[in-house]
Amino acid sequence: MKVVQLRIKNFRGIESAELKFDGHALLLGGNNVGKSTICEALDLVLGPDRLSRFPPIEEWDFYNGKYLEPPAAEGEDPKPVEMRIEVLLIELSPEVEKRCAKNLEFWHVAEKRVLDEGEVKAAIPGIAIPCLRLETLGQYDPEEDEFSARTYYTHSPDAIDGEKQEVQRHIKRLFGFLYLRALRTGSRALSLERGSLLDILLRLQKVRTGLWEQAIARLKQLDIEKDAIELEPVLTAIEDKLSNYVSTTKPGRKTKLFITQLTREHLRKTMSFFLALRDDQEAVPFQQAGTGTLNTLVLALLSFIAELKPDCVIFAMEEPEIAVQPHTQRRIAEYLLNHTTQTFVTSHSPYVIERFTANNTYLLTRVAGMPLQATCVVDATGLKENDYKRYVRRGLAECMLGQGVILVEGVTESHALTALARRMEEQDATLNPLDLAGVTVFDAESDGQIPKFATFFQALGIKTFGFYDFKKRTTVEKAKFTSSLDVDEEHPYKGFESLIANEVPASRIRAFLQELLDNGLDTTQYKVPATIPTDDAAIQKLCIALLSSAKGAGWAMRLLEGSKANDLPATAVGFLNKVYGYFHPPNPKPSAPTQNNTP
């Protein structure tokens, strides 16, 4: 079973949205763009227990907290605002098709739309498949002063007077929808509250126990008075006083102390799963385990549930990377992709992002006054799947989560510009550190690749800055750089090594070469003379040869890291200053007032 379409109106931070999905979905976007809201919306429609709460929704579940329209005219009552969420499901399980047969419609696979009633001839197997549309409607009832929310079949042919047929909870359980909220599910996952993972697990295995009745009976049988005989005269005195005002016919003692007055619902909330993690440790409440252990325990429960319903599990999971190691993050993502029919994941972790394909990665964007957009990365950027897979682990994933990308054509430039930025930030406290501003250096491996990746990042709404070597280019070739880069910096040298050799003082290069020799540099391998030349031109030539022969050694980076402010290459410094101009410090300190000493 899969969700292929989601429509949202007036729910939380989303005024309107129409989103289409094709299988698994990794949801990317800035904070408060709507990632969690999408998961919550799916839970309202597909989750069997969300609407059982009272109230099922509240004021701030409506867009901007607006649940009443002002009256059209003075004296009239305000009109309730409708909140609507619609989900379209395909690849239905046989049991869902059977139970919901009267409510089924047909989905045109190629055209990705629901067939109209007059298109019976188009309902050909293979071309059109059964689908099920569900919608949750929420609104405020002024007469009852309550909020209500119910889920209905969009197609309800048997409904009376045009009213839609309501979807019952036992039907929702067939959808297999599970929602793991970041930082929230763990606190109740292993409790026995209704809707907790442990409760779902017991229900799926059709476990029915007399746990609650037996527990309550045992608690009633606990005689705490015999362990506190000093209470006897106090209770007897209370009964004597009570008899003056309340007539009772029960013989003997009329009062008794019980250990608790908990009901079965209270017990569900207070009962806790205990866990022993070490040989020298007694079992403790699971909430006291580390956050990473807790999240892993939750995943174990989720995987257990998925194995019970292998053909019908839809997961929605917020930030599975929280408090777990990178290899565990990868395992979580791998499990979701291979053992669920569909998963919706929000994440800020490159280790999770790299596990999803470009076809399953959606960028969420929202502009004031416009509907929320979820654009598949492939459709938005044109980057081929093979390129995406190749570069996603080499920094593409981290760049996609940032605010800006510096695109360079080699590993030497990548290391050197990173080091240069650090030196500039150390020397000028007014600069906003690029790594904290969300700017990443990305090695495109060649100048020809820069426009392709710049176009990709631009489509994701990320600022792009290019720094590359001089080369004779046609007007058309140069236009590719100019159109795809916010800052297009073609430096005047035919290689970055030449830039370093010509713009870093020879005295600094000479000192650096001596450092390498003192640290045991193999002069034979790198053809460096045992005695450093005194001629500046010879130093420049030697610097170019050395940096070119070992691009991955990080020597350009080390050269700049040890340089003073006036030794740094002016062209690269000028380029980075343009980048800094896009990212000002978040809370700049007000400058001190100037003193006017004029008499």
Side-chain angles (χ1 to χ4, degrees):
M1 191 171 306
K2 295 178 182 177
V3 175
V4 291
Q5 187 170 278
L6 172 65
R7 289 176 175 160
I8 301 174
K9 181 181 178 184
N10 293 327
F11 180 56
R12 296 200 173 177
I14 299 178
E15 184 175 16
S16 66
E18 181 171 342
L19 315 174
K20 297 182 183 294
F21 303 103
D22 184 11
H24 298 299
L26 171 66
L27 307 177
L28 300 180
N31 291 330
N32 299 315
V33 74
K35 302 186 296 293
S36 296
T37 301
I38 288 175
C39 296
E40 294 279 0
L42 291 169
D43 190 35
L44 268 175
V45 181
L46 301 177
D49 298 297
R50 170 67 187 268
L51 297 186
S52 300
R53 304 176 192 170
F54 183 80
I57 56 175
E58 57 186 14
E59 286 91 333
W60 294 107
D61 282 323
F62 290 80
Y63 179 69
N64 282 342
K66 184 179 179 181
Y67 56 92
L68 285 175
E69 287 281 4
E74 188 176 350
E76 294 184 1
D77 294 330
K79 183 180 179 182
V81 172
E82 183 182 74
M83 180 196 77
R84 177 188 293 267
I85 304 168
E86 181 182 309
V87 169
L88 194 150
L89 296 166
I90 64 169
E91 298 182 19
L92 310 174
S93 68
E95 191 170 6
V96 169
E97 283 200 28
K98 179 181 177 181
R99 296 283 194 94
C100 307
K102 294 182 179 180
N103 308 103
L104 298 182
E105 298 176 271
F106 285 93
W107 174 256
H108 197 292
V109 176
E111 298 178 3
K112 299 186 183 303
R113 66 179 181 88
V114 178
L115 297 181
D116 293 328
E117 291 185 4
E119 296 182 285
V120 178
K121 293 182 179 180
I124 303 171
I127 295 177
I129 59 177
C131 67
L132 185 65
R133 280 194 292 170
L134 310 171
E135 57 190 55
T136 294
L137 306 180
Q139 64 180 23
Y140 173 69
D141 184 347
E143 292 185 6
E144 297 293 333
D145 190 24
E146 291 177 356
F147 291 92
S148 64
R150 292 185 175 85
T151 302
Y152 302 93
Y153 295 102
T154 301
H155 180 61
S156 302
D158 293 343
I160 302 173
D161 298 330
E163 293 185 1
K164 294 179 180 178
Q165 180 184 352
E166 190 169 352
V167 182
Q168 300 302 313
R169 192 192 303 181
H170 68 276
I171 296 295
K172 282 193 173 186
R173 289 200 182 104
L174 301 177
F175 302 148
F177 180 80
L178 296 171
Y179 181 21
L180 177 60
R181 298 167 178 83
L183 297 178
R184 285 177 276 172
T185 299
S187 63
R188 63 189 293 269
L190 297 176
S191 74
L192 281 170
E193 287 186 66
R194 295 190 186 277
S196 71
L197 294 181
L198 194 53
D199 180 53
I200 292 172
L201 186 58
L202 294 174
R203 197 181 301 150
L204 287 174
Q205 291 194 307
K206 299 182 179 179
V207 173
R208 297 290 183 268
T209 70
L211 170 65
W212 310 117
E213 291 76 13
Q214 294 175 33
I216 291 172
R218 289 195 180 101
L219 289 173
K220 284 182 178 179
Q221 292 169 8
L222 289 176
D223 189 352
I224 63 170
E225 293 178 34
K226 73 177 184 180
D227 296 321
I229 57 176
E230 62 272 15
L231 291 177
E232 176 66 25
V234 177
L235 295 176
T236 302
I238 291 174
E239 288 186 18
D240 290 341
K241 295 294 184 184
L242 184 63
S243 64
N244 293 329
Y245 303 97
V246 179
S247 177
T248 62
T249 59
K250 182 177 177 59
R253 286 286 305 277
K254 301 171 181 62
T255 60
K256 184 172 179 61
L257 290 179
F258 284 101
I259 189 69
T260 180
Q261 60 178 7
L262 294 178
T263 64
R264 60 194 298 132
E265 290 304 314
H266 292 137
L267 283 173
R268 280 183 175 273
K269 294 179 181 180
T270 58
M271 190 170 291
S272 184
F273 189 87
F274 277 57
L275 180 70
L277 298 173
R278 299 193 307 268
D279 293 341
D280 60 344
Q281 182 187 50
E282 295 296 324
V284 297
F286 75 95
Q287 296 96 329
Q288 294 186 16
T291 306
T293 300
L294 183 56
N295 283 0
T296 307
L297 281 170
V298 171
L299 178 67
L301 270 183
L302 292 172
S303 63
F304 193 177
I305 292 170
E307 289 165 7
L308 293 174
K309 302 183 69 173
D311 59 336
C312 186
V313 174
I314 302 174
F315 263 126
M317 181 177 282
E318 289 183 48
E319 301 177 24
E321 66 268 16
I322 289 180
V324 295
Q325 303 96 326
H327 71 272
T328 305
Q329 295 179 33
R330 294 190 186 102
R331 285 188 63 187
I332 291 172
E334 201 71 21
Y335 177 84
L336 293 173
L337 291 169
N338 294 324
H339 294 86
T340 67
T341 54
Q342 188 178 28
T343 184
F344 293 85
V345 172
T346 74
S347 180
H348 294 96
S349 168
Y351 305 107
V352 174
I353 293 173
E354 70 182 20
R355 283 316 204 221
F356 286 77
T357 67
N359 289 311
N360 295 135
T361 302
Y362 295 83
L363 179 76
L364 302 185
T365 54
R366 183 166 55 185
V367 179
M370 299 292 289
L372 173 72
Q373 300 290 327
T375 309
C376 179
V377 165
V378 167
D379 297 335
T381 66
L383 191 69
K384 294 180 180 179
E385 183 69 35
N386 287 339
D387 284 333
Y388 184 85
K389 287 181 179 179
R390 179 184 174 193
Y391 286 92
V392 68
R393 185 172 282 192
R394 299 187 187 184
L396 197 65
E398 182 180 354
C399 295
M400 290 166 62
L401 297 170
Q403 302 297 318
V405 179
I406 297 174
L407 295 113
V408 297
E409 57 178 295
V411 66
T412 300
E413 291 92 328
S414 176
H415 291 166
L417 287 183
T418 301
L420 179 59
R422 284 199 298 266
R423 291 297 293 131
M424 292 173 65
E425 291 155 11
E426 289 169 1
Q427 296 161 4
D428 186 351
T430 65
L431 296 176
N432 187 16
L434 293 182
D435 56 345
L436 301 185
V439 181
T440 308
V441 180
F442 179 76
D443 177 12
E445 297 186 343
S446 71
D447 63 323
Q449 296 259 76
I450 288 178
K452 175 175 68 176
F453 285 107
T455 301
F456 170 82
F457 291 122
Q458 267 195 345
L460 300 181
I462 298 170
K463 294 294 182 184
T464 54
F465 313 101
F467 190 75
Y468 52 96
D469 301 343
F470 169 78
K471 182 190 293 185
K472 288 184 178 180
R473 295 180 174 86
T474 66
T475 303
V476 174
E477 289 173 336
K478 183 58 181 175
K480 293 180 181 179
F481 289 83
T482 305
S483 63
S484 61
L485 293 167
D486 293 287
V487 172
D488 175 22
E489 187 81 17
E490 181 182 11
H491 64 73
Y493 302 94
K494 292 186 178 182
F496 188 76
E497 295 80 12
S498 295
L499 183 150
I500 294 289
N502 283 276
E503 295 194 3
V504 175
S507 58
R508 169 60 192 143
I509 298 174
R510 187 176 291 108
F512 176 68
L513 293 175
Q514 189 61 55
E515 290 173 17
L516 294 181
L517 290 175
D518 293 342
N519 289 326
L521 177 70
D522 187 340
T523 56
T524 303
Q525 179 181 353
Y526 295 104
K527 298 181 181 179
V528 177
T531 303
I532 303 299
T534 57
D535 179 63
D536 287 355
I539 283 290
Q540 290 179 345
K541 184 177 180 180
L542 182 57
C543 177
I544 294 173
L546 185 64
L547 295 182
S548 300
S549 64
K551 290 181 177 291
W555 285 341
M557 176 180 67
R558 289 170 57 184
L559 172 63
L560 296 176
E561 283 179 335
S563 299
K564 298 178 181 178
N566 55 356
D567 291 340
L568 300 176
T571 298
V573 168
F575 164 71
L576 286 180
N577 277 326
K578 294 177 185 177
V579 178
Y580 284 115
Y582 283 81
F583 304 96
H584 301 290
N587 295 306
K589 295 180 180 179
S591 56
T594 57
Q595 294 182 350
N596 188 349
N597 297 322
T598 305

